Amino acid sequence: MLRGFGKRCSFGEGCSFGEWCSFGEWCSFGEWCSFGERCSFGEKCSFGKRCSFGEWCSFGEGCSFGKRCSFGEWCSFGEGCSFGKRCSFGEGCSFGEWCSFGEECSFGEGCSFGERCSFGERCSFGEWCSFGERCSFGEWCSFGERCSFGERCSFGEWCSFGEWCSFGERCSFGERCSFGERCSFGEWCSFGEGCSFGKRCSFGEGCSFGEGCSFGERCSFGERCSFGEGIKYEGMSETTLRFLKIDRIGSRLGCTYFFKTATDIYVRCGCFFGTIADFEKKVNETHARNKKYRKEYIEAIKYVKAVM
């Protein structure tokens, strides 16, 4: 049943409302209230803990919710809404800028968030969620595959990310965050100690990594990246002591990476990964008839041996 209520209405605990109800601004609701699908609420409405809402509900700016509230799919929220801990949201929910969330909130797939939203510890997000610039996240948050983040987002320690996630420039991550394969990062991102990255992750210029970070196979790095001690590349068990990148050489005009460990120098060049001796042998075999490419690679090998 469609029912309409004006501004500044107040309701006690345990009230229940059917579908398509509408409420004006500044309405207040007690704990354990329930609402059907497609209800709409004006600005600055407030709700007690454990309220529940059906699908497609909409909320104006500045609404506040107590802990453990639950929302169906495709609900929408205006700017500056605040939520207590352990709230849950269905798929496709959308949030305006400056929204804040308590600890252990959970979100379904495809949720979208405006700029400067903040999240407490241990929040979880489904696949394909998107976040605006300067959002902040507490420790132990988890994200599904293909989530996207704007510039200057910040993350606490031990956060985990699925495959194909993308991050804008100057994002910062605490210690021991983990990332799936093919994640991409903009310029000047920073990572704490012990972060781990899957295969084929890419990093823009000037990214910095703390001690003990590890990288899967075929990761790529922009210029002026810096690395702490005890880094492990290419999924190797050996710690890399030094790292060097030489760009735009050979037939690929791509990046060739050299990693010095305690036992040898290893090379990643396209599909090739192996010791520098094996790389030199492969160059001589592949470019036996092309003196130009062979010379470029051999000169790079000589330079690396001299400086590493």
Side-chain angles (χ1 to χ4, degrees), residues 16 31 39 74 89 109 116 122 128 187 250:
S16 62
E31 301 176 3
C39 290
W74 300 99
F89 304 85
E109 297 181 4
R116 298 180 186 269
R122 297 180 187 272
W128 296 95
E187 299 179 358

Side-chain angles (χ1 to χ4, degrees), residues 275-287 298 301:
T275 65
I276 196 166
D278 290 337
F279 181 58
E280 186 172 2
K281 181 180 179 181
K282 187 69 173 179
V283 166
N284 288 326
E285 292 175 354
T286 304
H287 299 293
I298 295 301
I301 291 169

